[in-house]
Amino acid sequence: MENGEIEAEDALPVPAPPNGRRYRPVGSTDRAVIQMTSMEPGSSSTTGASGVDGVKPQPPRNLTVDPSMQEDSTGSQSDSKLELFGFDSLVNILGLKSMTGEQIQAPSSPRDGEDVAITIGRPKETGPKFGTMMGMAGVWQSLVLVSFCGACTFLTGISLSAIATNGAMKGGGPYYLIGRALGPEVGVSIGLCFFLGNAVAGSMYVLGAVETFLDAVPSAGFFQESVTVVNNTLVNGTVTAGTATISTPSLHDLQVYGVIVTILLCFIVFGGVKIINKVAPAFLIPVLFSLLCIYLGVFIAPRHNAPKGITGLSITTFKDNWGSEYQRTNNAGVPDPNGSIYWDFNALVGLFFPAVTGIMAGSNRSASLKDTQRSIPVGTLSATLTTTAMYLFSVLLFGALATREELLTDRLLTATVAWPAPAVIYIGIILSTLGAALQSLTGAPRLLAAIANDDILPVLNYFKVSEGAEPHSATLFTAFICICCVVIGNLDLITPTITMFFLLCYAGVNLSCFLLDLLDAPSWRPRWKFHHWSLSLVGALLCVVIMFLISWSFTVVSLALASLIYYYVSIKGKAGDWGDGFKSAYFQLALRSLRSLGANQVHPKNWYPIPLIFCRPWGKLPENVPCHPKLADFANCMKKKGRGMSIFVSIIDGDYHELAEDAKTACHQLDTYIEYKRCEGVAEIIVAPSMSEGFRSIVQTMGLGNLKPNIIVMRYPEIWRRENLTEIPSTFVSIINDCIIANKAVVIVKGLDEWPNEYQRQYGTIDLYWIVRDGGLMLLLSQLLLTKESFESCKIQVFCIAEEDTDAEELKADVKKFLYDLRMHAEVIVVTMKSWEPHMESTSSGAQQDDSQEAYTSAQRRISTYLSEMKETAQREGHPRMEDGKQVVVNEQKIEKFLYTMFKLNSTILRYSRMAAVVLVSLPPPPLNHPAYFYMEYMDLLVENVPRMLIVRGYRRDVVTFFT
C-alpha cells in the first residue's frame, strides 16, 4: 500500500502484513515454490494464459516463497499490504526503491517429488515492518531504537506542554505555539507544511483501511485481479501439472473505495466536534480489544496450529534474539543474500519512527478543548508514555516469543498469534486507520483556518471562520487534497517529505520552548514546571538527527519548501506583532551588547556615525510632511552600505500635558516617513517650551551608553532673512554651542532642496576646505559619499588654506602622506594667501572682484546698522549692550576681521569649486559673548552663491586611524 503516518495514540504494538503469510528461506528438504502476485493493470499476461489453457484450477498447496527467487520483481511498482502498526512503507520512506540491487542467481532445478508453483504476472510485495526491526536489530538494539524515537516525541511533548500552559491558547495547535514564539514567518511556513502533512496523511490512512478490507474480503472488489499459480510435481521424471487462481486488490478498487470512505469521513467531520466525539469510541474500543487479543495470544502461545517458529515465551529464544544480525533483504523484507536492501540501524529508525508520531493530535483541536492548559499536557504526555511503554513491552515479549527467522518472514506475526482468530486484527487495523484518517481530516482544517484567521497571508482569506464556527471551507479543501492523493494511489515520493514535515513541526516546537526558556522574559510563566531549555534543545537536535537518518535528500526538500514559504510570507505577508521570542532575543542581545560596549570611548576602528537628524524646520513644510524630504536621503549618505542607525527628532513648542497626544501622532507620522524613505532609524518627538530648551534636553539625554548620537545633522536656515524670522539667529547659535559643550559633531547642510537622491548621479568633484583639525570627520564623510551611487563618479580634492609664509610644498607632502596612511585617494591643493587683515588688502584695489563682493558690502552695511541700534538702545535704557537677555561684548575690529575672513574664504571657494558636486568646509564656532545676529551674517557670507555645502565641525576625538 502507499505510505502514511501512524498515530501513536491508536497504534498496535507489533506490525506485520495482513495476509498472514509466513516466509522463510528454502531449505534442502523443502519443495521449491515460487509465488508471484498479479501483474499491474495494463500488463500483458498472454504468455500465462496460453501456458495454462485447458487446465482446471486447483487450490494452492504448501505455498512458500523463496527469497532468492522473489527479487526478480524489483522493477515493478510496489503496492505493499497494510500492516498492523505502521502505515508507511519503509522502502519508500528511506528512498531505498531507487537503490541498485545485485543480480539474482538462477534457481536450481527441482528434485523428484518437489512442487514447482509458477505464477504468471508480477509480484505484489509487502514492505518490511516491526518484525524486520526485531529480526535485524535484536532485542537490545530494538529497545535502544524505541527509546531513541520515544525520547524525541516525549521531549517534544514536554516542550509543547510548557508553551501550552503559558497562557490562553487559541486554535491552530502547533502553528499557534510556534508562531507566537518564533514569529509569523516561521509559524506560517511550518504551519502550512504541517497542514499539508496532515492532509496527505489522511489519504494514506484511508488507503490502508481499504486495502486491508479488500485483503480480508476479496469478493468485495469491483475490479478483481487474479493470478494463476501453476504447481508442477516432478515424480520419476514425469511432471504432473496443477493450477490455482488467487485474487488480489486492484488499484481501481482502492481508488473507488478510498474516495467513498473519504467522503463518508468528511460528512462526520462536517457534523462538528460533538459528532466526532460520539464516533470516536467506535474506533477506539475495537482497537483496544485487538491489543488485548494480541497479548492474550502471546501468553497462551504456541497453540496447536502455530508455526514452528513460534516457541512461546522462552528465555532461550530471548537470548537467541538478543544480539543484532543485519543482512540484505528484498523489497518485502524477506532475507535474501542478493537483495537490494541492506538494513542497518539508520534504516530501522526510518522504519519505526512513524509509529511514534501523532502527538499533535490533541493540540490540533486546541480551539475545541475546554481547558487547553490541562488537556494538552495530560493527554499528550499520557499518550506518549503509554505507547512508548507498550512498544518496549512488545519488544521484550516478541523477542521471547518467536525465532529470528519467524520474526523476519512472518509478515503479520501479531495476527498469527492473536486470540481467538486473525480476523480480530484485521478489524483493529481497519478501525485504527479510519480513526487516524478522521483525526487528520479534523485537525488539518482547523490548522488551516487558524492560519487564515491571523490575516498574515491575504491568499488564505477564503478559509477564515468566525469564533466557534466549523471550518467548512478548510474541510472541503483538505478533503480535496485527500481525494486527489487517493486517486493518485501512489505516494511513494510524497510520503517521506510528509514525514519530514512532522519532524519539522516537532523541531519548531522544541526550538520555541528553548528560546522562551533561555530568554526567560517576565511574561514566561508556564504552569508546567517540568521543563528546561536544555531538554528542548536536545529534543530539537533529536528531530534534526532523525530527519537526516531517515533520508538526507528528503530532509533537504522539506527544508527548501519551508524556506520558500518563509520567503513568500516575508515578502507578501502582513506584519504581525505577536511578541515573539526573536524580538525578545533581539532586545536581550541589544542590552548585552550595550553593557559590553560600556561607557568608554569607542576605538576609531569601531567608530560608526550615529546621526541625530534635527527635523524641526526653520520654515513651514507642506501639510502632512513631518520632515524635509531630503533629510532622510542625506542621512543614508552618512552610512556605509546603509548600515547604521539614525535618530530623527522634532520639537513641538508648548506644554507637555496639553500636547502629549499631538506628540504621539507626530511621532507616528515621522516613523511612517522614515519607513517610506527606507532609512534605518527611529523617530522621537519632544514637547518643550521652546526649540532651544527642547534641543538642550535632547542633546543631554538621547541615547544609551556608547549608542548615543555622535553627530547632529540639521538644515542651514537659508530663509531666516527672507522670512524675517528674527528668532532664528539666537536659536541657531544656541544649538551649535550646546553641541560643542556636549562634545557632539555638527554637520549643517546648505542647499538641502537640491541634494541628490539615489537616482540622480553627480559628476565633478567633492571639495574639502580643511581649515581646522576635526578628528578626520570631514575626510570620513567624503569617503562615505563616494560609496553612494549618486556620488561614486566624483573625485575628492582637499584644499589646505595656508598663510603666505607657509612652505606650501612641505604642507602638501605632509597632507598627501597623511591621506595615504588613511587609505584615502584625493588630490591635494594648497591655497596660499596674504594676511587676511582687512587693511592689508583693499577691496577696491586690483584684487579680483567676484560674486562675494556685493554680499560682503551688504553684510557690512547691515552689521553697522544693527550695531548702531544696539548702542542707542543701551544708552536710552542705561544698561550694557544686551541680546536675548544676555550681555554681549562688541569688538568692532574683530567683527570686521571675522566678516572679511568669511568673504575671502567664500571667494576662494567660488574660484576653485564653483562646479563641485558638493563642498565641505569647517564650521567656525560662535565667538564667545558675541551677538548671534553677527554670527549669522558671517555664516551667510560663507555660504553665499555656493549651491551645495556641508559645514562640518568635529569633536574632541579621532574617527579615523592609521593602524590596521
Side-chain angles (χ1 to χ4, degrees):
M1 65 159 251
E2 277 55 52
N3 306 322
E5 294 291 334
I6 184 169
E7 296 288 340
E9 290 80 2
D10 299 332
L12 298 177
V14 182
N19 55 10
R21 296 190 183 98
R22 295 181 296 278
Y23 299 87
R24 60 183 176 82
V26 178
S28 59
T29 60
D30 294 330
R31 289 166 293 182
V33 179
I34 306 173
Q35 176 176 332
M36 303 173 65
T37 59
S38 65
M39 297 178 67
E40 294 181 356
S43 299
S44 174
S45 58
T46 308
T47 306
S50 62
V52 296
D53 227 8
V55 182
K56 184 178 181 180
Q58 299 289 335
R61 297 176 289 125
N62 301 326
L63 294 181
T64 60
V65 173
D66 184 351
S68 65
M69 299 302 295
Q70 196 171 356
E71 192 61 15
D72 62 321
S73 63
T74 56
S76 66
Q77 180 179 349
S78 173
D79 292 321
S80 59
K81 300 287 186 181
L82 175 69
E83 300 180 3
L84 183 59
F85 293 103
F87 312 118
D88 293 287
S89 169
L90 257 294
V91 174
N92 299 329
I93 287 182
L94 298 172
L96 296 173
K97 292 188 70 173
S98 61
M99 297 178 64
T100 304
E102 299 178 4
Q103 296 295 326
I104 303 171
Q105 299 177 358
S108 58
S109 302
R111 304 183 184 90
D112 286 350
E114 291 182 336
D115 289 346
V116 180
I118 302 176
T119 302
I120 309 301
R122 297 183 183 179
K124 183 178 180 182
E125 299 173 339
T126 57
K129 284 294 177 181
F130 199 84
T132 300
M133 184 190 80
M134 291 192 58
M136 295 288 185
V139 174
W140 81 271
Q141 288 197 18
S142 296
L143 293 173
V144 172
L145 179 58
V146 173
S147 302
F148 180 66
C149 295
C152 176
T153 54
F154 181 72
L155 293 176
T156 304
I158 291 178
S159 300
L160 178 68
S161 302
I163 303 176
T165 58
N166 190 48
M169 182 177 173
K170 297 181 181 179
Y175 155 73
Y176 182 87
L177 301 179
I178 295 173
R180 268 57 182 181
L182 301 182
E185 294 86 0
V186 178
V188 171
S189 59
I190 294 181
L192 288 178
C193 289
F194 193 56
F195 159 76
L196 184 62
N198 276 278
V200 178
S203 66
M204 294 184 289
Y205 299 142
V206 169
L207 288 173
V210 171
E211 187 171 352
T212 304
F213 170 73
L214 293 176
D215 275 342
V217 188
S219 60
F222 299 107
F223 307 93
Q224 293 187 2
E225 293 183 359
S226 61
V227 293
T228 303
V229 179
V230 181
N231 296 319
N232 293 326
T233 303
L234 189 64
V235 180
N236 296 327
T238 304
V239 178
T240 303
T243 61
T245 302
I246 302 176
S247 298
T248 61
S250 167
L251 176 62
H252 300 303
D253 286 332
L254 294 176
Q255 293 170 337
V256 172
Y257 277 104
V259 172
I260 294 174
V261 170
T262 303
I263 294 175
L264 292 176
L265 291 176
C266 285
F267 279 119
I268 297 176
V269 175
F270 268 102
V273 177
K274 293 183 179 179
I275 301 297
I276 295 172
N277 291 337
K278 291 180 180 179
V279 174
F283 295 101
L284 178 61
I285 294 174
V287 172
L288 296 177
F289 181 71
S290 300
L291 288 173
L292 179 62
C293 292
I294 291 173
Y295 287 120
L296 287 176
V298 168
F299 285 107
I300 65 175
R303 301 205 299 274
H304 64 281
N305 57 346
K308 294 182 180 179
I310 298 179
T311 63
L313 298 177
S314 169
I315 190 64
T316 303
T317 305
F318 186 82
K319 290 179 180 179
D320 293 339
N321 292 331
W322 179 256
S324 61
E325 190 175 317
Y326 295 108
Q327 53 188 294
R328 289 187 176 274
T329 69
N330 58 20
N331 285 354
V334 178
D336 184 355
N338 299 313
S340 61
I341 303 174
Y342 179 76
W343 292 94
D344 56 12
F345 187 82
N346 293 356
L348 292 180
V349 171
L351 169 69
F352 178 73
F353 187 80
V356 297
T357 59
I359 61 174
M360 298 295 179
S363 62
N364 284 346
R365 299 161 60 182
S366 56
S368 304
L369 298 176
K370 185 178 180 180
D371 185 2
T372 56
Q373 299 190 40
R374 181 182 181 277
S375 300
I376 290 180
V378 173
T380 302
L381 294 177
S382 298
T384 303
L385 291 174
T386 301
T387 52
T388 302
M390 183 186 67
Y391 287 134
L392 293 172
F393 187 53
S394 299
V395 168
L396 298 175
L397 288 181
F398 282 89
L401 177 69
T403 62
R404 189 184 300 273
E405 178 185 7
E406 190 71 19
L407 291 171
L408 288 172
T409 56
D410 192 334
R411 307 304 296 144
L412 197 58
L413 184 61
T414 50
T416 303
V417 302
W419 179 90
V424 176
I425 306 305
Y426 280 99
I427 296 174
I429 292 174
I430 294 173
L431 294 179
S432 177
T433 49
L434 289 179
L438 186 62
Q439 284 185 1
S440 296
L441 293 175
T442 302
R446 284 162 171 75
L447 179 60
L448 182 60
I451 298 175
N453 285 343
D454 280 334
D455 201 24
I456 299 298
L457 283 180
V459 72
L460 299 178
N461 287 344
Y462 180 74
F463 303 110
K464 286 184 178 180
V465 294
S466 58
E467 188 173 355
E470 291 293 327
H472 295 310
S473 299
T475 301
L476 287 175
F477 183 65
T478 305
F480 173 76
I481 295 176
C482 188
I483 290 175
C484 288
C485 294
V486 168
V487 172
I488 293 173
N490 187 350
L491 306 176
D492 290 349
L493 296 178
I494 300 177
T495 301
T497 306
I498 303 307
T499 304
M500 299 305 164
F501 289 159
F502 281 93
L503 282 165
L504 196 63
C505 180
Y506 301 162
V509 171
N510 282 297
L511 286 177
S512 301
C513 187
F514 165 74
L515 186 63
L516 295 173
D517 245 337
L518 192 63
L519 297 175
D520 198 19
S523 60
W524 177 243
R525 301 186 303 275
R527 287 191 173 93
W528 182 260
K529 302 300 182 182
F530 303 99
H531 66 91
H532 191 265
W533 64 264
S534 58
L535 297 178
S536 301
L537 179 61
V538 171
L541 292 176
L542 282 177
C543 292
V544 175
V545 169
I546 292 174
M547 290 174 71
F548 281 96
L549 286 180
I550 292 176
S551 174
W552 68 267
S553 58
F554 282 109
T555 299
V556 172
V557 170
S558 304
L559 293 176
L561 179 58
S563 300
L564 287 176
I565 298 175
Y566 178 93
Y567 179 75
Y568 178 78
V569 174
S570 62
I571 297 298
K572 299 292 185 180
K574 298 180 181 179
D577 188 4
W578 296 339
D580 57 84
F582 279 138
K583 291 186 177 179
S584 179
Y586 298 152
F587 180 76
Q588 291 207 18
L589 182 61
L591 291 180
R592 293 183 181 181
S593 301
L594 184 61
R595 288 197 299 267
S596 65
L597 286 175
N600 298 326
Q601 288 190 353
V602 179
H603 193 276
K605 289 191 296 183
N606 301 323
W607 188 89
Y608 279 87
I610 305 178
L612 187 148
I613 313 297
F614 189 43
C615 301
R616 172 72 179 266
W618 299 110
K620 291 184 178 180
L621 290 174
E623 293 184 3
N624 300 322
V625 178
C627 182
H628 193 288
K630 294 297 183 71
L631 267 178
D633 295 330
F634 179 74
N636 282 327
C637 290
M638 300 184 68
K639 303 173 186 177
K640 187 176 182 180
K641 297 181 180 180
R643 293 192 298 263
M645 182 182 69
S646 301
I647 304 175
F648 289 77
V649 176
S650 187
I651 300 172
I652 298 177
D653 294 341
D655 183 76
Y656 175 71
H657 294 280
E658 297 177 357
L659 300 175
E661 291 301 322
D662 293 343
K664 291 180 182 179
T665 304
C667 186
H668 177 72
Q669 293 176 346
L670 184 56
D671 192 63
T672 304
Y673 163 80
I674 296 170
E675 185 177 355
Y676 168 74
K677 297 295 288 186
R678 294 180 297 177
C679 183
E680 293 184 358
V682 295
E684 293 290 344
I685 300 294
I686 301 296
V687 179
S690 66
M691 183 187 295
S692 298
E693 293 186 27
F695 184 84
R696 188 167 294 120
S697 300
I698 291 171
V699 79
Q700 293 182 76
T701 60
M702 187 67 67
L704 295 171
N706 273 318
L707 289 182
K708 290 182 178 180
N710 46 33
I711 301 178
I712 308 300
V713 179
M714 60 182 173
R715 180 187 183 189
Y716 184 78
E718 303 171 50
I719 63 171
W720 76 277
R721 194 189 314 279
R722 183 174 67 249
E723 301 291 338
N724 197 26
L725 302 175
T726 56
E727 76 280 359
I728 286 183
S730 59
T731 303
F732 184 72
V733 170
S734 173
I735 289 176
I736 294 177
N737 284 327
D738 289 341
C739 292
I740 294 174
I741 294 173
N743 194 26
K744 306 290 185 183
V746 182
V747 176
I748 301 172
V749 187
K750 193 267 180 182
L752 187 63
D753 295 334
E754 290 78 29
W755 191 264
N757 59 31
E758 56 183 330
Y759 305 109
Q760 295 174 326
R761 185 174 293 273
Q762 303 296 303
Y763 299 93
T765 60
I766 299 175
D767 291 352
L768 280 65
Y769 286 81
W770 197 10
I771 301 174
V772 298
R773 183 177 182 272
D774 60 358
L777 179 60
M778 190 183 297
L779 295 172
L780 181 62
L781 288 177
S782 65
Q783 294 296 318
L784 291 175
L785 289 176
L786 287 180
T787 62
K788 304 303 173 184
E789 292 185 6
S790 53
F791 289 99
E792 64 182 2
S793 300
C794 298
K795 295 181 180 180
I796 296 178
Q797 293 185 143
V798 177
F799 291 85
C800 298
I801 308 299
E803 297 283 352
E804 186 178 11
D805 55 353
T806 303
D807 189 342
E809 292 300 324
E810 182 180 356
L811 177 61
K812 183 176 182 179
D814 290 343
V815 174
K816 278 190 172 182
K817 178 65 168 55
F818 178 76
L819 296 177
Y820 177 80
D821 290 339
L822 291 175
R823 291 91 61 200
M824 295 182 180
H825 301 282
E827 182 181 357
V828 178
I829 301 173
V830 177
V831 178
T832 304
M833 294 185 176
K834 297 180 180 179
S835 175
W836 287 5
E837 296 291 339
H839 63 274
M840 296 295 296
E841 181 179 353
S842 174
T843 58
S844 60
S845 63
Q848 179 182 357
Q849 299 294 320
D850 52 31
D851 297 337
S852 303
Q853 183 64 52
E854 184 180 351
Y856 173 63
T857 304
S858 299
Q860 284 181 315
R861 185 170 56 251
R862 288 191 299 269
I863 288 177
S864 178
T865 302
Y866 188 84
L867 191 59
S868 299
E869 292 177 354
M870 287 184 65
K871 290 180 179 178
E872 293 176 2
T873 303
Q875 291 175 357
R876 184 174 60 251
E877 297 181 358
H879 58 69
R881 299 174 185 177
M882 306 289 289
E883 186 183 59
D884 295 331
K886 297 180 182 179
Q887 183 177 350
V888 295
V889 178
V890 177
N891 186 328
E892 296 185 21
Q893 205 172 23
K894 282 190 175 182
I895 294 173
E896 182 64 21
K897 179 181 179 180
F898 291 157
L899 191 64
Y900 188 78
T901 300
M902 290 301 178
F903 162 64
K904 292 295 295 181
L905 183 57
N906 179 260
S907 300
T908 304
I909 293 173
L910 292 179
R911 183 180 304 118
Y912 292 103
S913 305
R914 186 180 291 272
M915 302 303 295
V918 62
V919 175
L920 284 78
V921 66
S922 299
L923 171 69
L928 188 64
N929 296 326
H930 211 67
Y933 179 85
F934 295 170
Y935 184 76
M936 287 303 301
E937 289 286 359
Y938 306 154
M939 296 300 300
D940 278 355
L941 187 57
L942 174 64
V943 303
E944 182 72 23
N945 295 322
V946 181
R948 196 180 297 142
M949 176 183 284
L950 300 182
I951 311 170
V952 181
R953 179 173 181 83
Y955 59 113
R956 296 185 294 271
R957 58 159 308 162
D958 292 330
V959 297
V960 292
T961 179
F962 295 148
F963 305 103
T964 182

